[in-house]
Amino acid sequence: MITYVEAQPKSRRTPGVIPLHGAEGFEGMRKASALTAQALDILFDFVEPGVPTAKLDQIAYEFARDNGAVPATLFYKGYRHSICTSINHVVCHGIPDDRGLREGDIVNVDLTLILDGWYGDSSRMYPVGEISRKAERLIEVTYASLEAGLAAARPGNTTGDIGAAIQAVAEGERMSVVRDFVGHGVGRLFHDEPNILHFGTPGTGVPLKPGMIFTIEPMINLGKPHVKILSDGWTAVTRDRTLSAQCEHSIGITETGNEVFTVSPGSLFNPLEARKSR
């Protein structure tokens, strides 16, 4: 059973209870998310062959520190980094290290900054140098699937409508949607109700109401949707070793549609397209 309540500061997620945020919540999310988007913009010029992902992590940490924010992943359940860096066949939760990025890699950078108690959560796909056409196509389809999900995120629709829209785009291009990881409520908690599946049936799931705040973050594979977790307990990879891509926005449901909080101030949310236009 689903219950909608007026959002209140809280310390933990309550299953089945969905907070509805007012003007204060939307303003808090705008500020936190804008800072996250700015940090991801800064990384645009640093994602190059030879640059270690640990350097990207350092840049993100220093940006957060200098702007009065805290990276949400730092020491979260023992995680020791400010970002996740998922390269090629890594689906999500890749761990930054000292190995340099290689020409032709694709890397997802996932960052959540906490500002004044609000969590701004976003991720983007960065090409490293010249990438293959199949990698380009995967990124294009992943971003198109997110756009389809955003278009379905409005009052009167359901979470199933979002998932179905994403699934239709991905599978229409003979790609697959990862089932093991989902979007989630966000706000004063890192992970809140409801879960946002990136696949599903129209008209099913949780009805969308103004004031809901959550992420949409489809993970799309070139091959099959199955994943496995490596021995580090974090890194998820495709079982068939095919490429995977993800992109993510934090949004709020409004009276007429939705507001995307994590808009790139430099129009760099899709680094592949941004690079082509330069």
Side-chain angles (χ1 to χ4, degrees):
M1 183 176 179
I2 299 297
T3 302
Y4 300 87
V5 300
E6 182 179 346
Q8 300 290 337
K10 56 181 181 176
S11 61
R12 65 181 61 185
R13 178 175 186 164
T14 305
V17 177
I18 298 175
L20 299 179
H21 298 267
E24 178 188 2
F26 272 57
E27 185 59 24
M29 284 299 295
R30 287 186 193 111
K31 292 179 179 178
S33 299
L35 201 63
T36 297
Q38 185 181 351
L40 291 172
D41 275 11
I42 288 170
L43 294 181
F44 180 87
D45 290 325
F46 291 92
V47 179
E48 295 180 339
V51 175
T53 50
K55 175 65 174 178
L56 306 180
D57 185 64
Q58 178 187 7
I59 292 168
Y61 171 77
E62 292 176 353
F63 176 86
R65 179 198 63 195
D66 294 346
N67 286 277
V70 176
T73 57
L74 191 58
F75 305 122
Y76 175 77
K77 296 184 178 181
Y79 192 79
R80 302 180 65 84
H81 302 274
S82 299
I83 61 176
C84 295
T85 50
S86 302
I87 303 170
N88 296 334
H89 71 290
V90 178
V91 176
C92 62
H93 304 157
I95 301 173
D97 59 29
D98 292 325
R99 290 173 293 182
L101 292 166
R102 297 179 299 176
E103 182 86 15
D105 283 343
I106 58 173
V107 56
N108 175 271
V109 178
D110 194 343
L111 172 66
T112 304
L113 293 182
I114 311 170
L115 181 67
D116 299 328
W118 296 94
Y119 289 71
D121 191 358
S122 186
S123 80
R124 303 178 188 175
M125 289 302 302
Y126 297 79
V128 183
E130 295 301 317
I131 64 175
S132 68
R133 178 54 189 150
K134 69 177 181 179
E136 283 191 349
R137 188 62 185 144
L138 172 62
I139 293 174
E140 291 166 357
V141 170
T142 302
Y143 276 86
S145 72
L146 174 61
E147 288 299 323
L150 290 172
R154 60 182 185 272
N157 277 1
T158 67
T159 54
D161 291 312
I162 296 173
I166 291 168
Q167 184 178 7
V169 171
E171 294 183 355
E173 296 295 334
R174 299 191 177 187
M175 300 181 192
S176 64
V177 180
V178 171
R179 265 70 167 169
D180 299 66
F181 301 98
V182 299
H184 52 87
V186 71
R188 288 193 177 274
L189 293 181
F190 196 178
H191 299 101
D192 205 345
E193 293 286 295
N195 286 336
I196 307 297
L197 278 62
H198 304 119
F199 60 95
T201 303
T204 64
V206 176
L208 302 177
K209 295 183 179 295
M212 293 173 67
I213 294 177
F214 51 81
T215 70
I216 305 178
E217 46 186 295
M219 302 173 201
I220 309 299
N221 295 347
L222 269 181
K224 295 180 179 180
H226 312 298
V227 308
K228 65 178 180 180
I229 308 299
L230 300 186
S231 59
D232 59 30
W234 288 103
T235 308
V237 301
T238 56
R239 283 190 174 272
D240 59 9
R241 304 283 293 185
T242 56
L243 294 176
S244 184
Q246 177 192 15
C247 54
E248 174 184 11
H249 270 317
S250 293
I251 73 167
I253 300 298
T254 67
E255 295 290 339
T256 58
N258 68 72
E259 178 179 347
V260 177
F261 297 124
T262 43
V263 173
S264 164
S267 299
L268 302 176
F269 179 63
N270 185 338
L272 175 64
E273 290 303 312
R275 191 177 70 175
K276 289 179 179 179
S277 66
R278 287 193 168 187

